[in-house]
Amino acid sequence: NAGVMQNPRHLVRRRGQEARLRCSPMKGHSHVYWYRQLPEEGLKFMVYLQKENIIDESGMPKERFSAEFPKEGPSILRIQQVVRGDSAAYFCASSPGTGVLEQYFGPGTRLTVT
Amino acid sequence: AQSVTQLGSHVSVSEGALVLLRCNYSSSVPPYLFWYVQYPNQGLQLLLKYTTGATLVKGINGFEAEFKKSETSFHLTKPSAHMSDAAEYFCAVNILTGGGNKLTFGTGTQLKVEL
């Protein structure tokens, strides 16, 4: 059973460009979480999605960031007009259901904004 | 709101020595607690978890942790460190809410194992 897949693993963008990060959850998992890890910090929750629904986006910056988890295909975290402060590692996690406490993490996408 | 504090951002031990990584939590409801390990340039791997029941939980790679409600602690231990244990360790708390569940992480402890 393949784990959580994220791509790309490394992404370099110039200031003002758009970044698209993809996450394919584990087979059978319908819940996806995105976390951001800034240098020298722990992971911070960003958003929680189920298929076609955003359940909790309390950790998402109000502007430039959006997330989706369509009926078909991977979950996408989109950052528009990136700035240097967006440079971080972005991790996706998945779980099979609300009542299941464990979240399984992908390898992360390391975004560098130049 | 829940929070997690990890005391000591860097811990160094000798190979074969006891590993003790500290974690204290704050929660207004019974917490579910986790320890994750992160190796360089990799994602997080679950070491162990506490949900209910036995307060001493055993995890992978010889690690264990004890939930102490009176001390609001969930310290991670391993009797004998191995070089392969060098990594970053994160304590996390999870509370089920109407909006699902999300993890709140501590800032991490970097474990260094020396010969």
Side-chain angles (χ1 to χ4, degrees), chain A residues 11-21 64-65 78-87 90 111-114:
Chain A
L11 182 61
V12 180
R13 285 287 177 265
R14 291 197 183 95
R15 279 177 295 174
Q17 291 185 318
E18 178 180 287
R20 282 188 181 231
L21 288 61
R64 303 187 297 108
F65 285 72
R78 182 182 178 206
I79 311 172
Q80 295 178 291
Q81 300 174 344
V82 296
V83 300
R84 288 236 173 96
D86 297 332
S87 295
Y90 292 81
L111 172 65
T112 302
V113 179
T114 61

Side-chain angles (χ1 to χ4, degrees), chain A residues 9 33 48 55 58 102-103, chain B residues 36 41 49 99 101-103:
Chain A
R9 294 290 307 276
Y33 309 80
Y48 162 42
I55 306 302
S58 58
E102 295 98 298
Q103 295 179 18
Chain B
Y36 283 87
N41 298 317
K49 65 181 180 184
N101 70 89
K102 58 188 178 187
L103 292 167

Side-chain angles (χ1 to χ4, degrees), chain A residues 9-10 33 35 37 40-45 48 55-56 58 91 95 97-108 110, chain B residues 10 32 34 36 38 40-46 49 51 88 90 94 96-108:
Chain A
R9 294 290 307 276
H10 299 274
Y33 309 80
Y35 294 84
Q37 184 179 32
E40 306 299 320
E41 293 187 20
L43 280 75
K44 295 282 196 292
F45 169 80
Y48 162 42
I55 306 302
D56 182 350
S58 58
F91 289 95
S95 73
T98 307
V100 176
L101 298 169
E102 295 98 298
Q103 295 179 18
Y104 298 86
F105 282 80
R110 279 153 182 82
Chain B
H10 292 80
Y32 302 109
F34 302 80
Y36 283 87
Q38 183 181 30
N41 298 317
Q42 294 187 27
L44 277 69
Q45 181 182 5
L46 180 65
K49 65 181 180 184
T51 54
E88 188 151 25
F90 292 95
N94 186 340
L96 294 175
T97 68
N101 70 89
K102 58 188 178 187
L103 292 167
T104 298
F105 286 88
T107 51

